[in-house]
Amino acid sequence: MNETIKKRLQQIDIENHIWIIYFFIIGFSFYGNKLEKDYFLNHNIYSKEKYRKINASIFAVLIIIYSYFEKDALESLFQKKSFSIHQYDILSFIGTSAVLLSGIIFFYIILNDENLDQEIAFN
């Protein structure tokens, strides 16, 4: 098996693990929304702080995942390929950079918005 195929299969295995992590993130997001709702309905400060910690943890993990895809796109960008494929690498790099930047921005908001004024959603 050639090196390119071997590397691509390894990437697919890593992506499969990332999908499993996403399932846990979705579960924690549901729980976080329950806590956020409790805070707004009952003014439960414990729920508010737990919600903020859960969201911060979620986005910390997401930033790690987004960084993995950013690294992969960056590596692909500097490989010698045909012009048309290289254009896709450029677009992929721009897209992954935007997603990583959005994760960092949301993480910053979560850490600093103590009143839960902003709605935060991971996409």
Side-chain angles (χ1 to χ4, degrees):
M1 183 177 331
N2 78 32
E3 261 330 285
T4 306
I5 293 174
K6 193 183 254 187
K7 182 177 179 184
R8 187 64 187 126
L9 291 174
Q10 183 182 15
Q11 288 173 322
I12 291 170
D13 286 340
I14 291 170
E15 290 170 11
N16 285 338
H17 288 92
I18 289 171
W19 281 113
I20 293 168
I21 293 168
Y22 278 147
F23 283 123
F24 284 103
I25 287 172
I26 290 167
F28 283 119
S29 295
F30 272 107
Y31 181 60
N33 282 346
K34 179 183 174 201
L35 293 170
E36 182 184 24
K37 191 175 182 180
D38 180 50
Y39 167 68
F40 284 117
L41 291 175
N42 303 315
H43 305 289
N44 185 338
I45 300 300
Y46 172 78
S47 291
K48 172 186 167 184
E49 289 309 311
K50 186 129 177 146
Y51 164 77
R52 288 183 71 230
K53 286 178 184 175
I54 287 173
N55 266 1
S57 299
I58 287 170
F59 275 88
V61 170
L62 288 174
I63 288 171
I64 292 168
I65 291 170
Y66 298 159
S67 296
Y68 165 78
F69 287 114
E70 178 78 359
K71 177 186 151 294
D72 189 50
L74 191 60
E75 287 174 0
S76 186
L77 186 64
F78 290 110
Q79 292 176 353
K80 293 213 180 250
K81 297 179 184 171
S82 69
F83 179 72
S84 61
I85 293 175
H86 185 67
Q87 287 179 320
Y88 294 136
D89 287 336
I90 292 169
L91 292 173
S92 177
F93 177 71
I94 292 169
T96 57
S97 296
V99 170
L100 177 59
L101 181 60
S102 74
I104 292 168
I105 290 169
F106 285 138
F107 188 60
Y108 174 83
I109 291 170
I110 290 165
L111 293 178
N112 291 291
D113 180 15
E114 295 181 10
N115 296 320
L116 307 182
D117 293 326
Q118 276 308 316
E119 178 60 33
I120 303 295
F122 93 93
N123 330 48

